[in-house]
Amino acid sequence: MEREWLETSFSTVPEEIEREGWKVYGDYNRLKIEHPFGVKLKVFNYPSYQMDGSEYTIYNFRVEESPQVGSSFRMIVEVGEKAYTVIPGGNSGKVTSKHYFDQLEMWINCDYKEVSW
């Protein structure tokens, strides 16, 4: 049973990679955040980015059939000292605001901003 699964994987995965045109892991593992109104108004959707990570890494992002899975908030705290956070997007819900998705690239790159603690 286990051997059949392994043999099937090794024979079908290269075909899928070639068919889809994937060159690097991020071609498959892509962040795609769509706003509920984004079906009609694409301007509400965030840009799509190649992602690192899996369920076994600190980045904890992966594409499954549906939906994609990842942390929605990251926080590092030095008790009694400093705290750092980042979210996948921004603090504003206004698409015209500079804070609509100003933390998205920070989140993707696992960068943080210092916050009061």
Side-chain angles (χ1 to χ4, degrees):
M1 178 77 157
E2 191 171 306
R3 182 183 172 110
E4 291 172 11
W5 175 84
L6 190 59
E7 288 175 354
T8 301
S9 295
F10 276 111
S11 66
T12 60
V13 169
E15 294 169 4
E16 183 177 3
I17 290 171
E18 187 172 324
R19 182 179 65 249
E20 297 294 335
W22 298 328
K23 300 291 183 204
V24 296
Y25 181 60
D27 290 342
Y28 165 76
N29 201 48
R30 293 194 68 84
L31 174 69
K32 188 175 181 183
I33 301 175
E34 295 180 341
H35 190 280
F37 298 149
V39 174
K40 297 284 185 183
L41 302 168
K42 300 288 186 208
V43 69
F44 284 97
N45 294 337
Y46 291 173
S48 179
Y49 289 93
Q50 292 183 337
M51 296 291 294
D52 290 326
S54 73
E55 64 185 307
Y56 305 107
T57 65
I58 294 173
Y59 285 123
N60 189 24
F61 178 87
R62 64 198 177 278
V63 173
E64 296 180 346
E65 292 299 317
S66 182
Q68 58 194 6
V69 179
S71 58
S72 61
F73 176 79
R74 295 186 191 133
M75 184 174 199
I76 300 170
V77 177
E78 296 177 47
V79 179
E81 299 294 322
K82 298 178 181 176
Y84 306 89
T85 66
V86 68
I87 57 175
N91 280 328
S92 177
K94 296 172 91 176
V95 72
T96 56
S97 169
K98 67 180 183 178
H99 300 294
Y100 185 65
F101 63 90
D102 62 334
Q103 294 183 54
L104 184 59
E105 286 190 34
M106 291 172 59
W107 182 83
I108 290 166
N109 295 319
C110 215
D111 293 330
Y112 295 83
K113 62 180 187 149
E114 188 172 340
V115 294
S116 298
W117 178 253

Coordinates of all heavy atoms in Angstrom, one line a residue, residues 27-103:
D27 N 5.9 29.2 -7.0 CA 5.0 29.2 -8.2 C 3.7 28.4 -7.8 O 2.6 28.8 -8.2 CB 5.6 28.5 -9.4 CG 6.7 29.3 -10.0 OD1 6.8 30.6 -9.8 OD2 7.5 28.8 -10.8
Y28 N 3.9 27.4 -7.0 CA 2.7 26.6 -6.5 C 2.2 27.2 -5.2 O 1.0 27.4 -5.0 CB 3.1 25.2 -6.2 CG 2.2 24.4 -5.4 CD1 1.0 24.0 -5.9 CD2 2.4 24.2 -4.0 CE1 0.0 23.3 -5.2 CE2 1.5 23.5 -3.3 CZ 0.3 23.0 -3.8 OH -0.6 22.4 -3.0
N29 N 3.1 27.5 -4.2 CA 2.7 28.0 -2.9 C 2.6 29.5 -2.9 O 3.5 30.3 -2.6 CB 3.8 27.6 -1.9 CG 3.2 27.6 -0.5 OD1 2.2 27.0 -0.2 ND2 4.0 28.2 0.4
R30 N 1.4 30.0 -3.4 CA 1.2 31.5 -3.6 C 0.1 32.0 -2.6 O -0.9 31.3 -2.4 CB 0.7 31.8 -5.0 CG 1.8 31.5 -6.1 CD 1.4 32.1 -7.4 NE 1.4 33.6 -7.4 CZ 2.5 34.3 -7.5 NH1 3.6 33.8 -7.7 NH2 2.4 35.7 -7.5
L31 N 0.4 33.2 -2.1 CA -0.5 33.9 -1.3 C -1.6 34.5 -2.2 O -1.2 35.2 -3.1 CB 0.2 34.9 -0.4 CG -0.8 35.8 0.4 CD1 -1.4 35.1 1.5 CD2 0.0 37.0 0.9
K32 N -2.8 34.3 -1.9 CA -3.9 34.9 -2.7 C -5.0 35.3 -1.7 O -5.8 34.4 -1.3 CB -4.4 33.9 -3.7 CG -5.4 34.5 -4.7 CD -5.7 33.6 -5.8 CE -6.7 34.2 -6.8 NZ -7.1 33.3 -7.8
I33 N -5.1 36.5 -1.3 CA -6.1 37.0 -0.4 C -7.1 37.8 -1.2 O -6.8 38.8 -1.8 CB -5.5 37.9 0.7 CG1 -4.4 37.2 1.5 CG2 -6.6 38.4 1.6 CD1 -3.7 38.0 2.5
E34 N -8.3 37.2 -1.2 CA -9.4 37.9 -1.9 C -10.4 38.5 -1.0 O -10.9 37.8 0.0 CB -10.1 36.9 -2.9 CG -9.1 36.4 -4.0 CD -9.8 35.4 -4.9 OE1 -10.8 34.8 -4.5 OE2 -9.2 35.2 -6.0
H35 N -10.8 39.7 -1.2 CA -11.8 40.4 -0.4 C -13.2 39.8 -0.9 O -13.4 39.4 -2.0 CB -11.7 41.9 -0.8 CG -12.6 42.7 0.1 ND1 -13.9 42.9 -0.1 CD2 -12.3 43.5 1.2 CE1 -14.4 43.7 0.8 NE2 -13.4 44.1 1.6
P36 N -14.2 39.8 0.0 CA -15.5 39.3 -0.4 C -16.1 40.0 -1.6 O -16.8 39.5 -2.4 CB -16.3 39.5 0.9 CG -15.4 39.5 2.0 CD -14.1 40.1 1.5
F37 N -15.8 41.3 -1.7 CA -16.2 42.1 -2.9 C -15.3 42.0 -4.1 O -15.6 42.5 -5.1 CB -16.4 43.6 -2.5 CG -17.4 43.9 -1.4 CD1 -17.2 44.9 -0.6 CD2 -18.5 43.1 -1.2 CE1 -18.1 45.2 0.4 CE2 -19.4 43.3 -0.2 CZ -19.3 44.4 0.6
G38 N -14.2 41.3 -3.9 CA -13.2 41.2 -4.9 C -13.6 40.5 -6.2 O -13.0 40.6 -7.2
V39 N -14.6 39.7 -6.1 CA -15.2 39.0 -7.3 C -15.6 40.0 -8.3 O -15.3 39.9 -9.5 CB -16.3 38.1 -6.9 CG1 -17.0 37.5 -8.1 CG2 -15.8 37.0 -6.0
K40 N -16.3 41.1 -7.9 CA -16.7 42.2 -8.7 C -15.8 43.3 -8.8 O -15.7 44.0 -9.9 CB -18.1 42.7 -8.3 CG -19.2 41.6 -8.3 CD -19.7 41.4 -9.7 CE -20.9 40.5 -9.7 NZ -21.4 40.2 -11.0
L41 N -15.1 43.6 -7.7 CA -14.2 44.8 -7.7 C -12.8 44.3 -7.3 O -12.4 44.3 -6.1 CB -14.7 45.8 -6.6 CG -16.1 46.3 -6.9 CD1 -16.6 47.1 -5.6 CD2 -16.1 47.3 -8.1
K42 N -12.0 44.0 -8.3 CA -10.6 43.4 -8.1 C -9.7 44.3 -7.3 O -8.8 43.9 -6.7 CB -10.0 43.1 -9.5 CG -10.8 42.2 -10.3 CD -10.7 40.8 -9.8 CE -11.3 39.8 -10.7 NZ -11.8 38.6 -10.1
V43 N -10.0 45.6 -7.3 CA -9.2 46.6 -6.5 C -9.1 46.2 -5.0 O -8.2 46.6 -4.3 CB -9.6 48.0 -6.8 CG1 -11.0 48.3 -6.1 CG2 -8.6 49.0 -6.3
F44 N -10.1 45.5 -4.5 CA -10.2 45.2 -3.1 C -9.2 44.0 -2.8 O -8.8 43.9 -1.6 CB -11.6 44.8 -2.7 CG -12.5 46.0 -2.5 CD1 -13.4 46.4 -3.5 CD2 -12.5 46.7 -1.3 CE1 -14.2 47.4 -3.3 CE2 -13.4 47.8 -1.1 CZ -14.2 48.1 -2.1
N45 N -8.9 43.2 -3.7 CA -8.0 42.1 -3.5 C -6.6 42.5 -3.3 O -6.1 43.5 -3.9 CB -8.1 41.1 -4.7 CG -9.4 40.5 -4.8 OD1 -10.2 40.4 -3.9 ND2 -9.8 40.0 -6.0
Y46 N -5.9 41.8 -2.4 CA -4.5 42.1 -2.2 C -3.6 41.5 -3.3 O -4.1 40.5 -4.0 CB -4.0 41.4 -0.9 CG -4.6 42.0 0.4 CD1 -4.3 41.5 1.6 CD2 -5.3 43.2 0.4 CE1 -4.8 42.0 2.8 CE2 -5.8 43.7 1.5 CZ -5.6 43.1 2.7 OH -6.0 43.7 3.9
P47 N -2.4 42.0 -3.6 CA -1.6 41.4 -4.6 C -1.2 39.9 -4.2 O -1.2 39.6 -3.0 CB -0.3 42.3 -4.5 CG -0.6 43.5 -3.8 CD -1.8 43.1 -2.9
S48 N -1.0 39.1 -5.2 CA -0.6 37.7 -5.0 C 0.9 37.7 -4.9 O 1.6 38.4 -5.7 CB -1.1 36.9 -6.2 OG -0.7 35.5 -6.0
Y49 N 1.5 36.9 -4.0 CA 2.9 36.7 -3.8 C 3.3 35.3 -3.7 O 2.6 34.4 -3.2 CB 3.4 37.4 -2.5 CG 3.3 38.9 -2.6 CD1 2.2 39.6 -2.1 CD2 4.4 39.7 -3.0 CE1 2.1 41.0 -2.1 CE2 4.3 41.0 -3.0 CZ 3.2 41.7 -2.6 OH 3.2 43.0 -2.6
Q50 N 4.6 35.0 -4.2 CA 5.1 33.7 -3.9 C 5.5 33.6 -2.5 O 5.9 34.5 -1.8 CB 6.4 33.5 -4.7 CG 6.2 33.4 -6.2 CD 7.5 33.1 -6.9 OE1 8.6 33.4 -6.5 NE2 7.4 32.6 -8.1
M51 N 5.2 32.4 -1.9 CA 5.5 32.2 -0.5 C 6.4 31.0 -0.2 O 6.4 30.0 -0.9 CB 4.1 31.9 0.2 CG 3.1 33.1 0.2 SD 3.6 34.5 1.2 CE 3.6 33.8 2.8
D52 N 7.1 31.1 0.9 CA 7.9 30.0 1.4 C 7.0 29.4 2.5 O 5.8 29.8 2.7 CB 9.2 30.5 2.1 CG 10.2 31.0 1.1 OD1 10.3 30.4 0.0 OD2 10.9 31.9 1.5
G53 N 7.4 28.4 3.2 CA 6.7 27.8 4.3 C 5.9 26.6 4.0 O 5.7 26.2 2.9
S54 N 5.5 25.9 5.1 CA 4.7 24.8 5.1 C 4.1 24.6 6.4 O 4.4 25.4 7.3 CB 5.5 23.5 4.7 OG 6.3 23.1 5.8
E55 N 3.4 23.5 6.7 CA 2.8 23.3 8.0 C 3.9 23.0 9.0 O 3.6 23.0 10.2 CB 1.7 22.3 7.9 CG 2.2 20.9 7.6 CD 1.1 19.9 7.4 OE1 0.3 19.8 8.4 OE2 1.0 19.3 6.3
Y56 N 5.1 22.7 8.6 CA 6.2 22.3 9.4 C 7.2 23.3 9.6 O 8.3 23.1 10.2 CB 6.8 21.0 8.9 CG 5.8 19.9 8.7 CD1 5.4 19.5 7.4 CD2 5.2 19.2 9.8 CE1 4.5 18.5 7.2 CE2 4.3 18.2 9.6 CZ 3.9 17.9 8.3 OH 3.0 16.9 8.1
T57 N 7.0 24.6 9.2 CA 7.9 25.6 9.3 C 7.4 26.8 10.2 O 6.2 26.9 10.4 CB 8.3 26.2 8.0 OG1 7.2 26.8 7.4 CG2 8.9 25.1 7.0
I58 N 8.3 27.7 10.6 CA 7.9 28.9 11.3 C 6.9 29.7 10.5 O 6.0 30.3 11.0 CB 9.1 29.6 11.8 CG1 9.9 28.8 12.8 CG2 8.7 31.0 12.4 CD1 11.2 29.4 13.3
Y59 N 7.2 29.9 9.2 CA 6.3 30.7 8.4 C 4.9 30.2 8.4 O 4.0 30.9 8.2 CB 6.9 30.8 7.0 CG 8.1 31.7 6.8 CD1 9.2 31.2 6.3 CD2 8.0 33.0 7.2 CE1 10.3 32.0 6.2 CE2 9.1 33.8 7.1 CZ 10.3 33.3 6.5 OH 11.4 34.1 6.4
N60 N 4.7 28.9 8.5 CA 3.4 28.3 8.6 C 2.4 28.8 7.5 O 1.4 29.3 7.9 CB 2.8 28.4 10.0 CG 1.5 27.6 10.2 OD1 1.3 26.6 9.5 ND2 0.7 28.0 11.1
F61 N 2.8 28.7 6.3 CA 1.9 29.0 5.2 C 1.9 27.9 4.2 O 3.0 27.4 3.8 CB 2.3 30.3 4.5 CG 1.4 30.7 3.4 CD1 0.2 31.4 3.6 CD2 1.7 30.2 2.1 CE1 -0.7 31.6 2.5 CE2 0.8 30.5 1.0 CZ -0.4 31.2 1.3
R62 N 0.8 27.5 3.7 CA 0.7 26.5 2.7 C -0.6 26.6 1.9 O -1.6 27.0 2.4 CB 0.9 25.1 3.3 CG -0.2 24.7 4.2 CD 0.2 23.5 5.1 NE -0.8 23.2 6.0 CZ -1.0 23.8 7.2 NH1 -0.3 24.8 7.6 NH2 -2.0 23.3 8.0
V63 N -0.5 26.2 0.7 CA -1.6 26.1 -0.2 C -2.1 24.7 -0.1 O -1.4 23.8 -0.3 CB -1.3 26.5 -1.6 CG1 -2.5 26.3 -2.5 CG2 -0.9 28.0 -1.7
E64 N -3.4 24.5 0.3 CA -4.0 23.2 0.2 C -5.0 23.3 -0.9 O -5.1 24.3 -1.6 CB -4.6 22.8 1.5 CG -3.5 22.7 2.6 CD -4.1 22.3 4.0 OE1 -5.3 22.4 4.2 OE2 -3.3 21.9 4.8
E65 N -5.8 22.3 -1.1 CA -6.9 22.4 -2.1 C -7.6 23.7 -2.0 O -7.7 24.5 -2.9 CB -7.8 21.2 -2.1 CG -7.1 19.9 -2.5 CD -6.6 20.0 -3.9 OE1 -7.3 20.5 -4.8 OE2 -5.4 19.5 -4.1
S66 N -8.2 24.0 -0.8 CA -8.9 25.2 -0.5 C -9.3 25.1 1.0 O -9.8 24.1 1.4 CB -10.1 25.4 -1.4 OG -10.7 26.6 -1.1
P67 N -9.1 26.1 1.7 CA -8.4 27.3 1.5 C -6.9 27.2 1.7 O -6.4 26.2 2.2 CB -9.1 28.3 2.5 CG -9.3 27.4 3.7 CD -9.7 26.0 3.1
Q68 N -6.2 28.3 1.5 CA -4.8 28.4 1.9 C -4.8 28.6 3.4 O -5.7 29.0 4.0 CB -4.1 29.5 1.2 CG -4.7 30.9 1.4 CD -4.2 31.9 0.5 OE1 -3.5 31.6 -0.5 NE2 -4.6 33.1 0.7
V69 N -3.7 28.2 4.0 CA -3.6 28.2 5.5 C -2.3 28.9 5.9 O -1.3 28.7 5.3 CB -3.5 26.7 6.0 CG1 -3.4 26.7 7.5 CG2 -4.7 25.9 5.5
G70 N -2.5 29.8 6.9 CA -1.3 30.5 7.5 C -1.7 31.3 8.7 O -2.9 31.4 9.0
S71 N -0.7 31.8 9.3 CA -1.0 32.6 10.5 C -1.6 34.0 10.2 O -1.1 34.6 9.2 CB 0.3 32.8 11.3 OG 1.3 33.5 10.5
S72 N -2.6 34.4 10.9 CA -3.2 35.7 10.6 C -2.7 36.8 11.5 O -3.0 37.9 11.3 CB -4.7 35.6 10.8 OG -5.0 35.2 12.1
F73 N -1.9 36.4 12.4 CA -1.3 37.4 13.3 C 0.0 36.8 13.9 O 0.0 35.7 14.4 CB -2.3 37.8 14.4 CG -1.7 38.7 15.5 CD1 -1.6 40.1 15.2 CD2 -1.3 38.3 16.7 CE1 -1.2 41.0 16.2 CE2 -0.8 39.1 17.7 CZ -0.7 40.5 17.4
R74 N 1.1 37.6 13.9 CA 2.3 37.1 14.5 C 2.7 38.1 15.6 O 2.7 39.3 15.3 CB 3.4 36.9 13.5 CG 3.1 35.9 12.5 CD 4.4 35.7 11.6 NE 4.0 34.9 10.4 CZ 4.4 35.2 9.2 NH1 5.0 36.2 8.9 NH2 4.0 34.4 8.2
M75 N 3.2 37.6 16.7 CA 3.7 38.5 17.8 C 4.8 37.9 18.5 O 4.8 36.7 18.8 CB 2.5 38.8 18.7 CG 2.9 39.7 19.8 SD 1.4 40.1 20.8 CE 1.9 41.6 21.6
I76 N 5.9 38.7 18.7 CA 7.0 38.3 19.5 C 7.1 39.3 20.7 O 7.0 40.5 20.5 CB 8.3 38.4 18.7 CG1 8.2 37.5 17.5 CG2 9.5 38.1 19.6 CD1 9.4 37.7 16.5
V77 N 7.2 38.7 21.9 CA 7.2 39.6 23.1 C 8.4 39.3 23.9 O 8.7 38.1 24.3 CB 5.9 39.4 23.9 CG1 6.0 40.2 25.2 CG2 4.7 39.7 23.1
E78 N 9.2 40.3 24.3 CA 10.2 40.2 25.3 C 9.6 40.7 26.6 O 9.4 41.9 26.7 CB 11.4 41.0 24.9 CG 12.1 40.6 23.6 CD 13.3 41.6 23.3 OE1 14.1 41.9 24.2 OE2 13.3 42.0 22.1
V79 N 9.2 39.8 27.4 CA 8.5 40.2 28.6 C 9.2 41.3 29.4 O 10.4 41.2 29.7 CB 8.2 39.0 29.5 CG1 7.4 39.4 30.8 CG2 7.4 37.9 28.8
G80 N 8.4 42.4 29.7 CA 9.0 43.6 30.3 C 9.9 44.4 29.5 O 10.4 45.4 29.9
E81 N 10.0 44.1 28.2 CA 10.9 44.9 27.3 C 10.1 45.4 26.1 O 9.3 46.3 26.2 CB 12.0 44.0 26.8 CG 12.9 43.5 27.9 CD 13.7 44.7 28.6 OE1 14.1 45.6 27.9 OE2 13.9 44.6 29.8
K82 N 10.2 44.7 25.0 CA 9.6 45.1 23.7 C 8.7 44.1 23.2 O 8.7 42.9 23.6 CB 10.7 45.4 22.7 CG 11.7 46.5 23.1 CD 12.8 46.6 22.1 CE 13.7 47.7 22.5 NZ 14.8 47.9 21.6
A83 N 7.8 44.5 22.2 CA 6.9 43.6 21.5 C 6.9 44.0 20.0 O 7.1 45.1 19.7 CB 5.5 43.7 22.1
Y84 N 6.8 42.9 19.2 CA 6.8 43.1 17.8 C 5.6 42.4 17.2 O 5.3 41.3 17.6 CB 8.1 42.6 17.2 CG 9.3 43.2 17.8 CD1 9.9 42.6 18.9 CD2 9.9 44.3 17.3 CE1 11.0 43.1 19.5 CE2 11.0 44.9 17.9 CZ 11.6 44.3 19.0 OH 12.7 44.8 19.6
T85 N 4.9 42.9 16.2 CA 3.8 42.3 15.6 C 3.8 42.5 14.1 O 4.5 43.4 13.6 CB 2.4 42.8 16.1 OG1 2.3 44.2 15.7 CG2 2.3 42.7 17.6
V86 N 3.0 41.7 13.4 CA 2.7 41.9 12.0 C 1.5 41.2 11.6 O 1.1 40.1 12.2 CB 3.9 41.5 11.1 CG1 4.1 39.9 11.2 CG2 3.8 42.0 9.7
I87 N 0.7 41.7 10.7 CA -0.5 41.0 10.2 C -0.4 40.9 8.7 O 0.2 41.7 8.0 CB -1.8 41.8 10.6 CG1 -1.8 43.3 10.1 CG2 -2.0 41.8 12.1 CD1 -3.0 44.1 10.4
P88 N -1.1 40.0 8.1 CA -1.1 39.8 6.6 C -2.1 40.8 6.0 O -3.2 40.4 5.6 CB -1.5 38.4 6.4 CG -2.4 38.1 7.6 CD -1.9 38.9 8.7
G89 N -1.7 42.0 5.9 CA -2.6 43.0 5.3 C -2.2 44.4 5.9 O -1.1 44.8 5.9
G90 N -3.2 45.0 6.4 CA -3.1 46.3 7.1 C -4.2 46.6 8.1 O -5.1 45.8 8.2
N91 N -4.1 47.7 8.8 CA -5.0 48.0 9.8 C -6.3 48.7 9.2 O -7.3 48.8 9.9 CB -4.4 48.9 10.9 CG -3.6 48.1 11.8 OD1 -3.9 47.0 12.1 ND2 -2.6 48.7 12.4
S92 N -6.2 49.2 8.0 CA -7.4 49.9 7.5 C -8.2 49.0 6.5 O -7.7 48.2 5.8 CB -6.9 51.1 6.7 OG -8.0 51.8 6.1
G93 N -9.5 49.2 6.6 CA -10.4 48.5 5.6 C -10.7 49.3 4.4 O -11.4 48.9 3.5
K94 N -10.1 50.5 4.3 CA -10.3 51.4 3.2 C -9.3 51.1 2.1 O -8.1 51.3 2.3 CB -10.3 52.8 3.6 CG -11.3 53.2 4.6 CD -11.1 54.6 5.1 CE -11.8 55.6 4.2 NZ -11.7 57.0 4.8
V95 N -9.7 50.7 1.0 CA -8.8 50.3 -0.1 C -7.9 51.4 -0.6 O -6.8 51.2 -1.0 CB -9.6 49.6 -1.3 CG1 -10.4 50.7 -2.1 CG2 -8.7 48.9 -2.2
T96 N -8.4 52.7 -0.4 CA -7.6 53.8 -0.8 C -6.6 54.2 0.3 O -5.7 55.1 0.0 CB -8.5 55.0 -1.1 OG1 -9.3 55.3 0.0 CG2 -9.3 54.7 -2.3
S97 N -6.6 53.6 1.5 CA -5.7 54.0 2.5 C -4.3 53.4 2.3 O -4.2 52.3 1.9 CB -6.3 53.5 3.9 OG -5.3 53.7 4.9
K98 N -3.3 54.1 2.8 CA -1.9 53.6 2.7 C -1.7 52.4 3.7 O -0.8 51.7 3.6 CB -0.9 54.6 2.9 CG -0.8 55.2 4.3 CD 0.2 56.3 4.5 CE 0.3 56.8 5.9 NZ 1.4 57.7 6.1
H99 N -2.7 52.2 4.6 CA -2.6 51.2 5.6 C -3.5 50.0 5.2 O -3.8 49.1 6.0 CB -3.0 51.7 7.0 CG -2.1 52.8 7.4 ND1 -0.8 52.5 7.7 CD2 -2.3 54.1 7.6 CE1 -0.2 53.7 8.1 NE2 -1.1 54.6 8.0
Y100 N -4.0 49.9 4.0 CA -4.9 48.8 3.5 C -4.1 47.5 3.5 O -4.6 46.5 3.9 CB -5.5 49.1 2.2 CG -6.5 48.1 1.7 CD1 -7.7 47.9 2.4 CD2 -6.3 47.3 0.6 CE1 -8.6 46.9 2.0 CE2 -7.2 46.3 0.2 CZ -8.4 46.1 0.9 OH -9.3 45.2 0.5
F101 N -2.9 47.6 2.9 CA -2.1 46.3 2.9 C -0.6 46.7 3.2 O 0.3 46.0 2.6 CB -2.3 45.4 1.7 CG -1.9 46.0 0.4 CD1 -0.6 45.9 -0.1 CD2 -2.8 46.7 -0.4 CE1 -0.3 46.4 -1.4 CE2 -2.5 47.3 -1.6 CZ -1.2 47.1 -2.1
D102 N -0.3 47.7 4.0 CA 1.0 48.1 4.2 C 1.9 47.1 5.0 O 3.1 47.2 5.0 CB 1.1 49.5 4.8 CG 0.4 49.6 6.2 OD1 -0.4 48.8 6.5 OD2 0.8 50.5 7.0
Q103 N 1.3 46.1 5.7 CA 2.1 45.2 6.4 C 2.2 43.8 5.7 O 2.9 42.9 6.2 CB 1.4 44.9 7.8 CG 1.5 46.1 8.7 CD 0.9 45.8 10.1 OE1 1.3 44.8 10.7 NE2 -0.1 46.6 10.5

